[in-house]
Amino acid sequence: MRKPATTLLLIGLLVPICGLWAQQTTGQPNPAQQNPAHTDRQSEPATTLHVDVKLVNVFVTVTDEHGAPIGGLTKENFVLKEDDQAQRIAVFDKESALPLSIALAIDTSLSTRHDLPLEQASAKRFAHTILRPVDALSVYGFSQVARESTPGYTADLKRIDEGIDHIRLGESTAMYDAIYVVSRALDHRKGRRIIVLITDGEDVDSRIEYKQALRAAEEAEALIYSVIIVPIEASAGREIGGEHALIQLSEDTGGKYYYATSAAQLDDAFRKISDELRTQYLLAYYPSQHTSFSEFRRIEVKVAGVPEAPGYRVRHRAGYYTTKSDP
């Protein structure tokens, strides 16, 4: 006589349950108890498992001893370390085709009033040279506050020209505030994020401190290119603390700084920035396991395997934060 299907199902369920009860009552260990790691994974809630799988992007510029960008390098030519630990490069892109998001921030304080028309004309030429359809640029004018002069980020050159024309003179300069505001706006953009600052470097009115401005740029993975305008009439006694800060900001983010005293030097600085952005390398990696709980992790990139490597200069961001600060 055949047993009903439901009876067979009940028997199938009761057998392992009875077996488990017998093991517990007789003191025999069950297979899960023989493997502590197994019980840990079974009992540990999934939400408490922390695995650092964040892909870290590092945009790298390599130049020769004269400052000319070096192209043609391969993945095997780069050695990448994080906190002195070698990392495996998971993504390599030569002369990256990733879209550019450029924040063009122009100092409009009274100290730059004589140079502003030249800066505006040069900035237009830069925008027309650098932008591709996949790129986008936003214009900011900053004095005591930073104001966006374009309707968001755009590749429309007419709107960009109008935005550059419409920036207006202010009074004092809040340079660190401007860097902070621009960095926060860039943080949500895809692709490469670039800040181009045109300023004399004098900061007299910022509420944001230098360290906060730098951290905001680092968290946004933004490269800062500083074009430092040197006023001829005040060149002998100008305050150079802001210049030094701009130099450090540029170096720590993987960008560069330039001095300009004329329209020709402004155009030259913009040309060099454009050339660099077209010959950058993208190195990306998944950080290996860390024993350090440092909030900031330092990055080091070197070039090897080519005879000229000792004469090359490699620029990239100094590192990254494992957590983001409150906006």
Side-chain angles (χ1 to χ4, degrees), residues 79-130:
V79 177
L80 191 153
K81 293 182 179 180
E82 180 183 295
D83 288 345
D84 292 326
Q85 294 187 25
Q87 305 292 322
R88 187 182 70 84
I89 299 172
V91 178
F92 177 80
D93 191 3
K94 183 168 58 176
E95 299 181 7
S96 178
L98 285 174
L100 290 168
S101 290
I102 303 173
L104 181 60
I106 303 174
D107 187 345
T108 60
S109 62
L110 289 176
S111 61
T112 65
R113 63 188 181 278
H114 297 302
D115 300 304
L116 186 57
L118 297 177
E119 295 170 9
Q120 290 171 304
S122 190
K124 287 181 184 179
R125 289 190 286 272
F126 169 68
H128 283 249
T129 300
I130 189 71

Side-chain angles (χ1 to χ4, degrees), residues 144-145 174 176-177 181 203-210 212:
Q144 63 268 32
V145 294
Y176 300 143
D177 288 0
V181 168
D203 188 305
V204 296
D205 207 22
S206 281
R207 292 173 295 176
I208 295 293
E209 296 181 353
Y210 169 86
Q212 292 173 287

Side-chain angles (χ1 to χ4, degrees), residues 16-161:
I17 293 174
C18 293
L20 179 61
W21 176 81
Q23 287 176 350
Q24 291 174 343
T25 55
T26 59
Q28 295 295 323
N30 64 50
Q33 290 173 331
Q34 291 176 336
N35 187 348
H38 179 75
T39 56
D40 289 343
R41 288 194 296 269
Q42 293 260 340
S43 60
E44 182 179 291
T47 54
T48 64
L49 182 62
H50 298 288
V51 180
D52 188 356
V53 294
K54 178 184 177 183
L55 187 68
V56 178
N57 295 319
V58 186
F59 293 101
V60 179
T61 301
V62 183
T63 58
D64 63 17
E65 57 185 1
H66 304 294
I70 300 296
L73 298 176
T74 66
K75 176 181 176 180
E76 289 69 30
N77 293 135
F78 290 95
V79 177
L80 191 153
K81 293 182 179 180
E82 180 183 295
D83 288 345
D84 292 326
Q85 294 187 25
Q87 305 292 322
R88 187 182 70 84
I89 299 172
V91 178
F92 177 80
D93 191 3
K94 183 168 58 176
E95 299 181 7
S96 178
L98 285 174
L100 290 168
S101 290
I102 303 173
L104 181 60
I106 303 174
D107 187 345
T108 60
S109 62
L110 289 176
S111 61
T112 65
R113 63 188 181 278
H114 297 302
D115 300 304
L116 186 57
L118 297 177
E119 295 170 9
Q120 290 171 304
S122 190
K124 287 181 184 179
R125 289 190 286 272
F126 169 68
H128 283 249
T129 300
I130 189 71
L131 285 183
R132 306 164 299 177
V134 296
D135 300 327
L137 184 147
S138 183
V139 179
Y140 289 81
F142 69 94
S143 50
Q144 63 268 32
V145 294
R147 293 188 177 91
E148 191 174 27
S149 187
T150 50
Y153 283 80
T154 179
D156 187 328
L157 291 171
K158 183 179 179 181
R159 291 188 175 185
I160 291 170
D161 287 347

Side-chain angles (χ1 to χ4, degrees), residues 195-325:
I195 299 174
V196 179
L197 283 172
I198 310 174
T199 178
D200 60 6
E202 183 180 352
D203 188 305
V204 296
D205 207 22
S206 281
R207 292 173 295 176
I208 295 293
E209 296 181 353
Y210 169 86
K211 290 183 178 179
Q212 292 173 287
L214 173 59
R215 176 159 184 166
E218 288 176 326
E219 289 179 355
E221 299 181 11
L223 283 71
I224 296 179
Y225 286 88
S226 303
V227 182
I228 305 170
I229 306 300
V230 181
I232 297 175
E233 68 274 9
S235 59
R238 70 180 187 273
E239 196 276 316
I240 60 173
E243 294 178 23
H244 292 163
L246 281 172
I247 291 170
Q248 195 63 50
L249 282 163
S250 299
E251 291 183 348
D252 284 348
T253 59
K256 196 173 182 180
Y257 67 94
Y258 303 88
Y259 282 101
T261 59
S262 65
Q265 289 183 345
L266 266 173
D267 286 344
D268 187 55
F270 280 129
R271 179 186 60 78
K272 290 177 178 176
I273 294 171
S274 180
D275 289 346
E276 282 204 0
L277 294 178
R278 295 295 174 229
T279 54
Q280 281 181 337
Y281 299 89
L282 168 62
L283 312 181
Y285 67 99
Y286 293 98
S288 59
Q289 187 174 1
H290 277 258
T291 56
S292 169
F293 294 97
S294 173
E295 186 183 20
F296 186 79
R297 296 180 177 177
R298 294 202 167 273
I299 296 171
E300 180 184 4
V301 179
K302 292 183 178 180
V303 173
V306 291
E308 301 85 356
Y312 289 167
R313 185 185 177 194
V314 183
R315 297 203 321 274
H316 54 84
R317 58 177 172 147
Y320 69 96
Y321 285 94
T322 57
T323 59
K324 286 200 172 185
S325 55

